[in-house]
Amino acid sequence: MPLLDKLASFVPDDTITWLSLETRRLYPAVIDLVRQTNGTLNFHDALIAVGCRELGIDAIVTFDMDFERINWLTRISDPRHVQG
């Protein structure tokens, strides 16, 4: 992804002011996921997905269909999909 590559070259991760040490730790995996989805998943959504993987969370409740691209997450978008 040329735009992402250019941004990464202008703003290396060691120059970013991090609000969370976990975000900093997960940054490479998040950027890789953005690349893998050709930017369909934005940074924020990729961070959520990678965070879920790290925490062993296998389902997410969202109307955002972009999460369908993540093979380690099951997207729940309809109350009928929730058993209880």
Side-chain angles (χ1 to χ4, degrees):
M1 296 187 56
L3 177 59
L4 188 56
D5 294 338
K6 191 159 195 125
L7 284 172
S9 72
F10 283 125
V11 185
D13 63 341
D14 62 344
T15 65
I16 296 172
T17 301
W18 297 97
L19 296 178
S20 160
L21 292 179
E22 280 300 288
T23 303
R24 184 175 194 171
R25 183 179 71 81
L26 297 174
Y27 182 79
V30 171
I31 293 299
D32 284 344
L33 186 54
V34 171
R35 285 184 206 281
Q36 289 170 21
T37 63
N38 292 316
T40 302
L41 233 58
N42 63 35
F43 184 89
H44 185 258
D45 288 351
L47 176 61
I48 291 169
V50 169
C52 286
R53 182 178 64 194
E54 288 279 316
L55 293 170
I57 296 169
D58 60 1
I60 185 168
V61 177
T62 180
F63 296 112
D64 188 339
M65 293 181 66
D66 293 336
F67 284 97
E68 292 287 333
R69 295 178 170 272
I70 309 303
N71 61 6
W72 66 80
L73 275 178
T74 300
R75 184 176 75 92
I76 299 170
S77 62
D78 188 310
R80 295 173 290 187
H81 297 147
V82 178
Q83 297 176 355

